[in-house]
Structure formats: C-alpha cells, structure tokens
Amino acid sequence: MSTVQEVVAATIRDVPDFPSPGILFKDIGPLVGDPEAFGAVIEHWRGRHTGSIDKVVGIDARGFIFGGALALALGVGFVPVRKAGKLPGATIERSYDLEYGQATLAVQADALTPGERVVVVDDVLATGGTAEAACELIEQVGGVVAEFLVVLELVALGGRDRLTGRVVEALASA
C-alpha cells in the first residue's frame, strides 16, 4: 500500500519549457484526474483536521480544487482568496512582490467571523509570496490560520521561509 506522499509524487507530471523556455512546470492534472489519488490527498488532510477547523481557504486558482473538496469532506464552509477585482462586495486586498512584478490578492471582508480557525490550501508552494499574502489576508479579517496545506513544495525556492511561525504541510517536494 502506498502512502499519500508516494501517490502524489507518482501522479505529478513534469512539463518542460512551460509556460516558457527553461521552466519545468509541475502539472497536478494527472493527480486530480485520478479519483483514487485525489481522494487520497483529501482523505489525508481530512484526517488531520476533522473537528478542528471552521473553514477552508483556497488560493486562486488551483487551491480551489483541493480546498473545495476538503471543505466538503470536513463539512465546513469554503472561502476563496482571489486575484483582485474578482470578488463582489467589500474586500480586503494584499499586494505582494513576484519575481517580475507585483500581484494583489483579495478576500471578502465578511468571509470569516473573528476567531474562526482555517486551513489555507494551495497546489504548489514556490517563493511563498502568494502563501504569505493569503495568510495575512485571513488574519486581517480575523481568521486564525491553523495550517498551510500544499500538495507540492519547490524547496529550492525557499517559500517556507516566508511562512515562519506557521505550520506547513507539503505532501511532496521537488
């Protein structure tokens, strides 16, 4: 019987030169396309958090895939953190630096009740800018980040360093 970590490692596909030459893209398509592999990820995370979490936060866009499924499995609500300008109503925004520019994430101002415990979910942890901004947004609206869950961590890019003091679980690393 394989561990969830082995299943994840076996179902992530390398795509060279995507989206540009010299980039080795880590494709989660085969993982989410395989119901047993996808189910293993969600079941693993569900087992870690049953009864301890009020909401699941998913980061735009692939974090929605895992976050929505995990929220359903836990029987809790789902909160999307999206690119700026994509959510209706009052939002809180956080800008952060990318390798070649800046980006801005947003969450609806009333998405969480102060003190709600959340797990933040994404597919890949790379440089950590997006993860850090998402966690800061959740805290700004009153949420408590219990853990940051990610399918794959690109260790050489040092993203975990931007999440110092936070619990981070990566199911696979490259």
Side-chain angles (χ1 to χ4, degrees), residues 25-58:
F25 184 79
K26 299 293 187 175
D27 183 15
I28 63 162
L31 188 153
V32 297
D34 178 332
E36 290 182 18
F38 187 35
V41 169
I42 300 306
E43 183 57 28
H44 172 77
W45 285 340
R46 186 194 65 76
R48 290 174 59 95
H49 293 291
T50 299
S52 66
I53 297 301
D54 299 305
K55 298 263 174 70
V56 174
V57 174

Coordinates of all heavy atoms in Angstrom, one line a residue, residues 25-58:
F25 N 7.5 22.9 -15.4 CA 6.2 23.0 -14.8 C 5.7 21.7 -14.1 O 5.9 20.6 -14.7 CB 5.1 23.4 -15.9 CG 3.8 23.7 -15.3 CD1 3.5 24.9 -14.7 CD2 2.8 22.7 -15.4 CE1 2.2 25.2 -14.2 CE2 1.5 23.0 -14.9 CZ 1.2 24.2 -14.3
K26 N 5.2 21.8 -12.9 CA 4.7 20.6 -12.2 C 3.2 20.6 -12.4 O 2.5 21.4 -11.8 CB 5.1 20.7 -10.7 CG 6.6 20.8 -10.4 CD 7.2 19.5 -10.8 CE 8.7 19.4 -10.4 NZ 9.3 18.1 -10.7
D27 N 2.7 19.7 -13.2 CA 1.3 19.6 -13.5 C 0.6 18.6 -12.6 O 0.9 17.4 -12.5 CB 1.2 19.0 -15.0 CG -0.2 18.9 -15.5 OD1 -1.1 19.5 -14.9 OD2 -0.4 18.3 -16.5
I28 N -0.4 19.2 -11.9 CA -1.3 18.4 -11.0 C -2.5 17.8 -11.7 O -3.2 17.0 -11.1 CB -1.8 19.3 -9.8 CG1 -2.7 20.4 -10.3 CG2 -0.7 19.8 -9.0 CD1 -3.6 21.0 -9.3
G29 N -2.6 18.0 -13.0 CA -3.7 17.5 -13.8 C -3.9 15.9 -13.6 O -5.0 15.5 -13.4
P30 N -2.8 15.2 -13.7 CA -2.9 13.7 -13.6 C -3.4 13.3 -12.1 O -4.1 12.4 -12.0 CB -1.5 13.2 -13.8 CG -0.9 14.2 -14.7 CD -1.5 15.5 -14.3
L31 N -3.0 14.1 -11.1 CA -3.4 13.8 -9.8 C -4.9 14.0 -9.6 O -5.6 13.1 -9.1 CB -2.6 14.7 -8.8 CG -2.8 14.4 -7.3 CD1 -1.5 14.8 -6.5 CD2 -4.0 15.0 -6.7
V32 N -5.4 15.2 -10.0 CA -6.8 15.4 -9.8 C -7.7 14.6 -10.8 O -8.9 14.4 -10.5 CB -7.2 16.9 -9.8 CG1 -6.5 17.7 -8.7 CG2 -6.8 17.6 -11.2
G33 N -7.1 14.2 -11.8 CA -7.8 13.3 -12.8 C -7.9 11.9 -12.4 O -8.7 11.1 -13.0
D34 N -7.2 11.5 -11.4 CA -7.2 10.1 -10.8 C -8.0 10.2 -9.5 O -7.6 10.7 -8.5 CB -5.8 9.7 -10.6 CG -5.7 8.3 -10.0 OD1 -6.6 7.8 -9.3 OD2 -4.7 7.6 -10.2
P35 N -9.3 9.6 -9.5 CA -10.1 9.7 -8.3 C -9.5 9.1 -7.1 O -9.7 9.6 -6.0 CB -11.4 9.1 -8.7 CG -11.1 8.2 -9.9 CD -9.9 8.9 -10.6
E36 N -8.7 8.1 -7.2 CA -8.0 7.4 -6.1 C -6.9 8.3 -5.5 O -6.8 8.5 -4.3 CB -7.5 6.1 -6.4 CG -8.6 5.1 -6.6 CD -8.1 3.7 -6.9 OE1 -7.0 3.4 -6.7 OE2 -8.9 2.9 -7.4
A37 N -6.1 8.9 -6.4 CA -5.1 9.8 -5.9 C -5.6 11.1 -5.3 O -5.2 11.5 -4.2 CB -4.1 10.1 -7.1
F38 N -6.6 11.7 -6.0 CA -7.2 12.9 -5.5 C -7.9 12.6 -4.2 O -7.7 13.4 -3.2 CB -8.2 13.4 -6.5 CG -8.8 14.8 -6.2 CD1 -8.1 15.8 -5.6 CD2 -10.1 15.0 -6.6 CE1 -8.7 17.0 -5.4 CE2 -10.7 16.3 -6.4 CZ -10.0 17.3 -5.7
G39 N -8.6 11.5 -4.1 CA -9.3 11.1 -2.8 C -8.3 10.9 -1.7 O -8.6 11.2 -0.6
A40 N -7.1 10.3 -2.0 CA -6.1 10.1 -1.0 C -5.6 11.4 -0.4 O -5.4 11.4 0.8 CB -4.9 9.3 -1.6
V41 N -5.4 12.4 -1.2 CA -5.0 13.7 -0.7 C -6.0 14.3 0.2 O -5.7 14.7 1.4 CB -4.7 14.7 -1.9 CG1 -4.5 16.1 -1.4 CG2 -3.5 14.2 -2.6
I42 N -7.3 14.3 -0.2 CA -8.4 14.9 0.6 C -8.6 14.1 1.9 O -8.7 14.7 2.9 CB -9.7 15.0 -0.3 CG1 -9.4 15.9 -1.5 CG2 -10.8 15.5 0.6 CD1 -8.8 17.3 -1.2
E43 N -8.5 12.8 1.8 CA -8.8 12.0 3.0 C -7.6 12.2 4.0 O -7.8 12.2 5.2 CB -8.9 10.5 2.6 CG -9.2 9.6 3.7 CD -10.4 9.9 4.5 OE1 -11.4 10.5 4.0 OE2 -10.5 9.6 5.7
H44 N -6.4 12.3 3.5 CA -5.2 12.5 4.4 C -5.5 13.8 5.1 O -5.3 13.9 6.4 CB -4.0 12.6 3.6 CG -2.8 13.0 4.3 ND1 -2.1 12.2 5.2 CD2 -2.1 14.2 4.4 CE1 -1.1 12.8 5.8 NE2 -1.1 14.1 5.3
W45 N -5.8 14.9 4.4 CA -6.0 16.2 5.1 C -7.2 16.2 6.0 O -7.2 16.8 7.0 CB -6.1 17.3 4.0 CG -4.7 17.7 3.4 CD1 -3.5 17.4 4.0 CD2 -4.5 18.3 2.2 NE1 -2.5 17.9 3.1 CE2 -3.1 18.5 2.1 CE3 -5.3 18.8 1.2 CZ2 -2.5 19.1 1.0 CZ3 -4.8 19.5 0.1 CH2 -3.4 19.6 0.0
R46 N -8.3 15.5 5.5 CA -9.5 15.4 6.4 C -9.2 14.8 7.7 O -9.6 15.2 8.8 CB -10.6 14.6 5.7 CG -11.9 14.6 6.5 CD -12.9 13.6 6.0 NE -12.4 12.2 6.2 CZ -12.4 11.6 7.4 NH1 -12.9 12.2 8.5 NH2 -12.0 10.4 7.5
G47 N -8.4 13.7 7.7 CA -8.0 13.0 8.9 C -7.2 13.9 9.9 O -7.3 13.7 11.1
R48 N -6.5 14.8 9.3 CA -5.7 15.7 10.2 C -6.6 16.8 10.8 O -6.1 17.4 11.8 CB -4.6 16.5 9.3 CG -3.5 15.6 8.9 CD -2.6 16.3 7.9 NE -2.0 17.5 8.5 CZ -0.8 17.5 9.1 NH1 -0.1 16.5 9.2 NH2 -0.3 18.7 9.6
H49 N -7.7 17.1 10.3 CA -8.4 18.3 10.7 C -9.9 18.1 11.1 O -10.6 19.1 11.3 CB -8.3 19.4 9.6 CG -6.9 19.9 9.5 ND1 -6.3 20.6 10.5 CD2 -6.0 19.7 8.5 CE1 -5.1 20.9 10.1 NE2 -4.8 20.4 8.9
T50 N -10.4 16.9 11.1 CA -11.8 16.7 11.5 C -12.1 17.3 12.8 O -11.4 17.0 13.8 CB -12.2 15.2 11.4 OG1 -11.9 14.7 10.1 CG2 -13.6 15.0 11.8
G51 N -13.1 18.2 12.9 CA -13.5 18.8 14.2 C -12.6 20.0 14.6 O -13.0 20.6 15.6
S52 N -11.5 20.3 14.0 CA -10.6 21.3 14.5 C -10.6 22.6 13.6 O -10.0 23.6 14.0 CB -9.2 20.8 14.6 OG -8.7 20.5 13.3
I53 N -11.4 22.6 12.5 CA -11.4 23.7 11.6 C -12.8 24.2 11.3 O -13.7 23.4 11.2 CB -10.7 23.2 10.2 CG1 -9.3 22.7 10.4 CG2 -10.8 24.2 9.1 CD1 -8.4 23.8 11.0
D54 N -12.9 25.5 11.2 CA -14.2 26.2 10.9 C -14.4 26.4 9.5 O -15.5 26.4 9.0 CB -14.3 27.5 11.7 CG -14.2 27.3 13.2 OD1 -15.0 26.5 13.8 OD2 -13.3 27.9 13.8
K55 N -13.3 26.7 8.7 CA -13.4 27.0 7.3 C -12.1 26.5 6.6 O -11.1 26.4 7.2 CB -13.6 28.5 7.0 CG -14.8 29.1 7.6 CD -15.9 29.2 6.6 CE -17.2 29.7 7.1 NZ -17.3 31.1 7.5
V56 N -12.3 26.3 5.3 CA -11.1 26.0 4.4 C -11.0 27.2 3.5 O -12.0 27.6 2.9 CB -11.3 24.7 3.7 CG1 -10.1 24.5 2.7 CG2 -11.4 23.5 4.6
V57 N -9.8 27.7 3.4 CA -9.5 28.8 2.4 C -8.7 28.2 1.3 O -7.6 27.6 1.5 CB -8.7 29.9 3.1 CG1 -8.2 31.0 2.2 CG2 -9.5 30.5 4.3
G58 N -9.1 28.5 0.1 CA -8.4 28.1 -1.1 C -7.9 29.3 -1.9 O -8.5 30.3 -2.0

